[in-house]
Amino acid sequence: VIIDLDCDALDPSIVPGVIGRAPGGLTYWNVVDLLHGISAKGSIAGFTLVEFMPDSDVDGIGALNNARIICNVLGLVARQS
């Protein structure tokens, strides 16, 4: 499975550094649950995180949460058999 996560799908309260901020997006835990669900069904072959704009980020919160999401993916890939 190749996962392409668009940061515009995340709620701006966790990743404010995007072009089209809109309330009601995915939460951090929604994304983690989705990633775990995907890895339970198949092997993760690739992952991209797109549409993050560091210049529009607020206090680095988007960068921190994106890094946490990437760490989750790396952990899932490392546990694949």
Side-chain angles (χ1 to χ4, degrees):
V1 178
I2 297 173
I3 302 168
D4 182 30
L5 179 61
D6 188 330
C7 290
D8 288 322
L10 302 171
D11 193 82
S13 65
I14 62 166
V15 180
V18 296
I19 294 172
R21 291 183 190 152
L26 297 169
T27 68
Y28 171 79
W29 292 111
N30 291 149
V31 174
V32 170
D33 288 343
L34 286 169
L35 292 170
H36 281 262
I38 292 167
S39 71
K41 299 279 184 183
S43 295
I44 298 173
F47 177 81
T48 59
L49 189 136
V50 298
E51 300 297 329
F52 177 60
M53 298 177 53
D55 292 342
S56 300
D57 201 8
V58 178
D59 295 330
I61 192 72
L64 174 66
N65 284 315
N66 284 335
R68 292 175 67 200
I69 290 168
I70 292 168
C71 286
N72 271 277
V73 172
L74 291 172
L76 291 168
V77 169
R79 284 183 288 233
Q80 293 177 157
S81 49

